[in-house]
Amino acid sequence: MESDRFEDFCLAWFRARGVRLKVPGQGGGFASLAVREANRVGGGGGHGQKGIDLSLRLEDGTEVVVQCKRVKTWGLPETKKAIAKERKRIEDEVKL
């Protein structure tokens, strides 16, 4: 599946009725929030998106960004590594 088609698949999944995300809640713990809106970012397929493929709006107004990755396996270690890499990129961009 081509990257644009995979992003379309992910977008359709997030737009499906009843999709909920577990997100960190206020005061600790997690909240399960429904996805109310899902949109593609930029032109798709890595065209200047800086790793962001989709933008989601949750029922409480929170915006969540998604990077669609086609891989054979993905687990907690890969998730932690990806988050650390993105945090570093963001920190590097905002340094004056």
Side-chain angles (χ1 to χ4, degrees):
M1 185 182 294
E2 298 297 321
S3 63
D4 283 350
R5 288 199 57 196
F6 182 69
E7 287 179 19
D8 287 339
F9 167 80
C10 293
L11 181 61
W13 187 82
F14 281 116
R15 285 181 172 168
R17 266 185 105 121
V19 173
R20 300 182 75 81
L21 298 181
K22 257 189 182 177
V23 297
Q26 292 182 355
F30 288 88
S32 177
L33 299 173
V35 175
R36 294 291 183 225
E37 184 181 335
N39 296 294
R40 288 185 81 159
V41 174
H47 298 101
Q49 307 157 291
K50 297 187 179 184
I52 299 171
D53 299 315
L54 308 177
S55 173
L56 312 178
R57 176 91 43 209
L58 305 182
E59 64 184 295
D60 71 346
T62 300
E63 184 177 6
V64 176
V65 294
V66 176
Q67 183 177 32
C68 303
K69 284 285 195 189
R70 295 174 298 145
V71 296
K72 291 186 188 272
T73 60
W74 189 271
L76 185 58
E78 291 83 7
T79 301
K80 287 181 177 181
K81 183 177 177 181
I83 290 170
K85 181 179 176 183
E86 186 62 14
R87 280 188 178 148
K88 172 138 180 40
R89 184 190 67 76
I90 291 168
E91 289 171 0
D92 289 347
E93 281 191 7
V94 291
K95 286 181 183 171
L96 299 178

